[in-house]
Amino acid sequence: MREVPILAEAARPVFLRTVREAAPLRILELGTAIGYSALLALRESPEARIVTIERDADMAEAARSFLGRAGVLGRATVLVGEAEKLLPTLAGNFDLVFIDAAKSRYPDFWLGVQPLLAPRAVVVADNVLFRGLVEGEGSEEWPKHSYRTMVLQLREYLRLVRSAPGFRTEIFPEGDGMAVSRRDE
Ligand SMILES: C[S@@+](CC[C@H](N)C(=O)[O-])C[C@H]1O[C@@H](n2cnc3c(N)ncnc32)[C@H](O)[C@@H]1O
C-alpha cells in the first residue's frame, strides 16, 4: 500500500479549532485522500455535511469505505475528479473550505472557490509554508527545480489571500503551515 498523505498531527489542533470556531453547516474539501480530515471536520461539527473532491478513484473509494465505517458517510459526498474541473459545477454556499490538493494549483483553487463561499466563510489551506521554502528564513534561495513550481504557486497563494478584499488571513506554522482566511465583510 502506498503512503497516504494526511493532515499532519502537529496541524490537527489548528484545524480542529478552526472548524469548531467556524461552526459550519456546509464544508467543501479539495483533496480527500482516505477521508481522514473529512472525518475530523464532520466529528467536530455534528450538523455539517461535506462535499469532498478526490482525483484518484481508488482513494475516493477508500474514503467512502473509511467514512462509512466511521458512521458519517450519510453526511459526506465524495466526488471523483480534478477539483479545478468540478468546482464550476458546484453551487454555494460553503461555510468552510479546506484546500489540500495539488499545491501548484492553490491559486486556481482560491479563485475557483470564491463564487461558492458563504458571506462569513473560512478558507483553510494546508502546507502553505512547504518545508520552510515558501517564506521566512530558509526561503531566500531560488527553490530547487523539483519544487520550484509548487513553491512559487504557494507564494502566489499567500499573496492572493493577503490582498483579497474582505478577508483576514492568519498563517499558522504548525505542521507544514496552514493559512486560515476568514471572510468578514
Ligand atoms: C494531502 S492529500 C489530502 C489529505 C486529506 N485532506 C487529509 O488530510 O486526510 C492530497 C490529495 O489530493 C488529491 N489531489 C491532488 N490534486 C488534486 C486535484 N487537482 N483535484 C482533486 N484531488 C487532487 C491527491 O490524490 C491526494 O489524495
Side-chain angles (χ1 to χ4, degrees), residues 28-90:
L28 173 63
E29 178 180 62
L30 315 186
T32 317
I34 59 158
Y36 173 70
S37 51
L39 175 61
L40 290 181
L42 288 173
R43 282 212 175 134
E44 203 59 39
S45 43
E47 304 295 316
R49 302 184 64 82
I50 191 166
V51 174
T52 178
I53 304 177
E54 171 56 53
R55 72 174 167 198
D56 181 319
D58 293 338
M59 200 77 96
E61 200 39 53
R64 286 195 193 97
S65 162
F66 178 69
L67 295 170
R69 278 180 279 129
V72 297
L73 189 56
R75 295 194 282 134
T77 303
V78 183
L79 301 177
V80 182
E82 300 281 341
E84 49 275 46
K85 294 203 179 116
L86 290 178
L87 285 176
T89 71
L90 301 180

Side-chain angles (χ1 to χ4, degrees), residues 1-138:
M1 174 99 179
R2 68 187 155 108
E3 201 179 309
V4 179
I6 59 171
L7 188 70
E9 205 176 324
R12 194 169 50 190
V14 177
F15 181 72
L16 292 177
R17 189 176 66 237
T18 305
V19 174
R20 200 159 48 242
E21 287 170 2
L25 289 178
R26 293 193 70 199
I27 304 170
L28 173 63
E29 178 180 62
L30 315 186
T32 317
I34 59 158
Y36 173 70
S37 51
L39 175 61
L40 290 181
L42 288 173
R43 282 212 175 134
E44 203 59 39
S45 43
E47 304 295 316
R49 302 184 64 82
I50 191 166
V51 174
T52 178
I53 304 177
E54 171 56 53
R55 72 174 167 198
D56 181 319
D58 293 338
M59 200 77 96
E61 200 39 53
R64 286 195 193 97
S65 162
F66 178 69
L67 295 170
R69 278 180 279 129
V72 297
L73 189 56
R75 295 194 282 134
T77 303
V78 183
L79 301 177
V80 182
E82 300 281 341
E84 49 275 46
K85 294 203 179 116
L86 290 178
L87 285 176
T89 71
L90 301 180
N93 289 336
F94 290 96
D95 306 298
L96 180 79
V97 175
F98 182 40
I99 299 178
D100 196 19
K103 314 301 162 216
S104 56
R105 307 307 301 265
Y106 273 26
D108 296 333
F109 295 152
W110 170 259
L111 298 174
V113 302
Q114 293 305 309
L116 304 174
L117 298 181
R120 301 189 73 78
V122 180
V123 180
V124 182
D126 198 14
N127 308 102
V128 293
L129 297 179
F130 189 67
R131 305 180 185 188
L133 297 173
V134 176
E135 59 181 27
E137 208 180 318

